[in-house]
Amino acid sequence: MHDTTTAELLAFDRRHLWHPYTSMRGPLPVFPVASASGVHIRLADGRELIDGMSSWWAAIHGYSHPVLVAAMCDQAGTLAHVMFGGLTHEPAVALGRKLLAITPGPLTRIFFCDSGSVSVEVALKIALQYQHARGRPERHRLLTVRGGYHGDTFHAMSVCDPVTGMHTIFAGSLPRQLFAPRPQCRFDAPWDPADITPMADLLARHAGEVAAVILEPLVQGAGGMWFYHPRYLRELRALCDRHQVLLILDEIATGFGRTGSLFACEQAAVVPDILCLGKALTGGCMTLAATLATDAVADTISAAEPGAFMHGPTFMANPLACRVALASVELLLDSPWQERIRAMQEQMQRELAPAAGLAGVRDVRVLGGIGVIEMHEPVDMARLQQFFVQRGVWIRPFGRLLYLMPPYIIRPDELTRLTSALVAAAEQTRGGEGSCDAKP
């Protein structure tokens, strides 16, 4: 690899490399990373940052964990990749067995995907092909709630919030889906039966054209970090059953312990027809996702023309990714992850509470390993990014939200560094210009 100075690296990056949701004209500054281990990101200039983002919620074990590194190295020397069409391999089978052992029982069929967005894309295609196989091709629309975010691929964009979902420029090209109001009843508030009424009314009016309902369970992630009541999901499950509509739960951000249960849907005692997993699946080491479905869904599709589900990624069930995913899931299950999440939640509740009294703060909320300070006005991304780096932490705010999703292995003193930086940012934030870099 060519030896590149930091200045050369930054110049090439700025001139040629697109970053997520970032303009190529006057992009926000980036910080060159030399290495990462544990919860620390080491910059090229020698500074160390405590990571509060888990690299977009994926690196739950921190970085360079020896168990995960060993799994990748071992697998790379044996079988790094082979096509999944007509072939299979031990890493895919072993990971499949593990996922079936920990996910809700009725979910028995697994489709491995490249990324979270593709997992959602696959789920939506499964729902549409399922209704077609039932002889109901007119059921071709999808129903969701406002405030959601499900990814950046084409059909996934169509079920993101049409106003705040970062995809408004594509509105004229996307399928037109149905949107109920965002659930209003907070996770920690008494259940209000009226909260499900708009969804019930919308589904009743359009049941004949709806293939599936898709939601993020309990936590709306990139759409606003909103935590809603588990009862909403239970009521929705009953509505979907009544109208013979599939229920898709997008656990890409919430899966593998983030909310305090292994999967968020467990807190509502709800089993979806289709489940999307990603992000933390590999512990942030490789890109991999999975879409799980019930026997009834898979058998219905397979019994009708064309007799197969019509999707097949080139890197489907990549052995290297499957092997590290298995190691990550086993590492999680063998760890005291529940105690860690519980302690993280209690500490963030305690240490973020002072922000609730600040003039610019609209709300403070914590659930599991997620801590949020919501401002009244959008924050100045560029200024706050520098502010956090100067304080030795890596926190990536977006819109009106200052938030944390740290690795599960973080120590209390390291978490205090993050929460104190978040509160300090809220104290000196009065709102500012937003950024094209809108994703959290």
Side-chain angles (χ1 to χ4, degrees), residues 42-307:
R42 295 179 183 86
L43 301 183
D45 61 11
R47 288 182 291 177
E48 285 197 359
L49 310 179
I50 298 173
D51 177 30
M53 300 285 96
S54 299
S55 278
W56 275 341
W57 328 336
I60 58 176
H61 308 295
Y63 301 94
S64 302
H65 195 289
V67 171
L68 305 186
V69 172
M72 288 188 291
C73 290
D74 181 65
Q75 186 62 43
T78 304
L79 180 64
H81 182 63
V82 68
M83 64 186 289
F84 209 54
L87 301 171
T88 191
H89 46 79
E90 178 63 24
V93 172
L95 177 59
R97 284 176 173 152
K98 182 62 67 174
L99 290 178
L100 292 190
I102 64 175
T103 53
L107 297 166
T108 57
R109 309 299 178 96
I110 305 168
F111 193 101
F112 288 118
C113 316
D114 306 63
S115 68
S117 293
V118 177
S119 173
V120 170
E121 203 79 21
V122 166
L124 300 181
K125 285 181 68 174
I126 287 174
L128 294 173
Q129 192 171 337
Y130 169 82
Q131 297 293 358
H132 192 275
R134 291 181 62 231
R136 300 297 303 273
E138 72 278 5
R139 289 193 167 210
H140 60 88
R141 299 185 75 183
L142 302 163
L143 174 57
T144 186
V145 294
R146 291 190 178 272
Y149 177 84
H150 299 282
D152 298 335
T153 52
F154 215 71
H155 238 89
M157 287 194 297
S158 76
V159 289
C160 295
D161 189 288
V163 177
T164 65
M166 300 177 277
H167 304 124
T168 54
I169 191 172
F170 302 105
S173 303
L174 296 174
R176 296 181 64 84
Q177 314 296 9
L178 298 163
F179 290 85
R182 184 183 78 173
Q184 296 300 304
C185 194
R186 295 174 66 109
F187 179 88
D188 54 358
W191 168 245
D192 179 4
D195 203 21
I196 195 68
T197 301
M199 170 64 81
D201 291 345
L202 193 61
L203 187 52
R205 289 199 306 271
H206 296 277
E209 57 180 324
V210 172
V213 178
I214 181 169
L215 266 79
E216 301 157 280
L218 305 190
V219 177
Q220 290 187 303
M225 295 295 172
W226 175 248
F227 312 148
Y228 65 91
H229 202 286
R231 182 68 180 271
Y232 189 95
L233 288 178
R234 291 200 290 274
E235 299 292 332
L236 180 58
R237 174 73 274 182
L239 289 171
C240 289
D241 291 341
R242 184 184 311 158
H243 294 290
Q244 297 184 318
V245 168
L246 296 181
L247 176 61
I248 303 169
L249 292 184
D250 176 353
E251 291 250 18
I252 292 163
T254 54
F256 303 101
R258 181 58 69 175
T259 66
S261 55
L262 200 55
F263 301 101
C265 62
E266 295 173 7
Q267 299 186 46
V270 163
V271 177
D273 301 292
I274 304 172
L275 178 70
C276 299
L277 302 176
K279 289 194 182 291
L281 175 58
T282 68
C285 292
M286 297 280 294
T287 178
L288 182 70
T291 306
L292 283 73
T294 63
D295 281 348
V297 169
D299 290 345
T300 299
I301 289 174
S302 300
E305 289 294 330

Side-chain angles (χ1 to χ4, degrees), residues 222-402:
M225 295 295 172
W226 175 248
F227 312 148
Y228 65 91
H229 202 286
R231 182 68 180 271
Y232 189 95
L233 288 178
R234 291 200 290 274
E235 299 292 332
L236 180 58
R237 174 73 274 182
L239 289 171
C240 289
D241 291 341
R242 184 184 311 158
H243 294 290
Q244 297 184 318
V245 168
L246 296 181
L247 176 61
I248 303 169
L249 292 184
D250 176 353
E251 291 250 18
I252 292 163
T254 54
F256 303 101
R258 181 58 69 175
T259 66
S261 55
L262 200 55
F263 301 101
C265 62
E266 295 173 7
Q267 299 186 46
V270 163
V271 177
D273 301 292
I274 304 172
L275 178 70
C276 299
L277 302 176
K279 289 194 182 291
L281 175 58
T282 68
C285 292
M286 297 280 294
T287 178
L288 182 70
T291 306
L292 283 73
T294 63
D295 281 348
V297 169
D299 290 345
T300 299
I301 289 174
S302 300
E305 289 294 330
F309 174 55
M310 304 308 292
H311 200 88
T314 299
F315 287 93
M316 182 177 181
N318 171 262
L320 192 56
C322 288
R323 177 71 181 276
V324 75
L326 177 63
S328 177
V329 173
E330 290 178 338
L331 185 62
L332 174 67
L333 297 177
D334 290 341
S335 73
W337 66 270
Q338 291 160 307
E339 290 79 2
R340 287 173 174 172
I341 294 294
R342 189 179 305 114
M344 195 186 305
Q345 174 176 293
E346 293 172 355
Q347 184 175 349
M348 287 195 291
Q349 286 173 332
R350 184 172 63 253
E351 295 180 353
L352 295 180
L358 299 175
V361 172
R362 181 178 184 179
D363 188 31
V364 176
R365 50 188 179 268
V366 176
L367 177 61
I370 311 168
V372 182
I373 299 176
E374 181 178 353
M375 308 300 293
H376 283 290
E377 302 293 336
V379 302
D380 185 331
M381 169 76 83
R383 183 172 62 83
L384 278 184
Q385 200 71 90
Q386 292 283 356
F387 172 83
F388 287 128
V389 169
Q390 289 167 3
R391 293 181 70 99
V393 298
W394 182 248
I395 298 172
R396 188 76 168 166
F398 74 104
R400 294 183 287 109
L401 301 179
L402 309 171

